[in-house]
Amino acid sequence: MKRIVGALAVVAIGGVVSGCAACVLAPGAEQIKETQLAADVAGCHAVGNVKSEAGPVDLDTDIRNKTLGLGGNVLFITTKVGPPSEGVAYRCN
């Protein structure tokens, strides 16, 4: 239950800061691994799609916060060419 409440708090914070000029990385979001290799997430569980629509400087911060908010620890990038940046959040052991 604590994990769900924490995840919802991160999502709420991510939503609030996603529109700001200088987004803040949520605690723990710096540990999110980014990849474009399907092999890196082959044994993982997809927890949701993520999309960043923040300004170009904040794309990485915004999408990492959203991945963390879904309970993910790996971000599979599907599109990273200016806003929007898109991917799939995965939970890997």
Side-chain angles (χ1 to χ4, degrees):
M1 186 67 174
K2 289 182 183 178
R3 186 175 186 183
I4 293 172
V5 172
L8 291 175
V10 171
V11 169
I13 291 168
V16 170
V17 299
S18 67
C20 69
C23 290
V24 177
L25 199 59
E30 71 280 354
Q31 296 177 9
I32 301 290
K33 178 184 175 185
E34 291 186 11
T35 186
Q36 290 183 310
L37 302 173
D40 289 345
V41 293
C44 304
H45 175 74
V47 293
N49 295 326
V50 289
K51 181 177 182 179
S52 175
E53 296 180 20
V57 174
D58 302 317
L59 285 176
D60 189 57
T61 298
D62 186 41
I63 204 164
R64 281 175 173 268
N65 286 346
K66 289 177 179 177
T67 298
L68 182 66
L70 290 172
N73 60 358
V74 177
L75 172 60
F76 180 70
I77 303 288
T78 56
T79 304
K80 194 169 187 173
V81 182
S85 184
E86 300 179 28
V88 181
Y90 282 87
R91 181 77 192 157
C92 302
N93 294 330

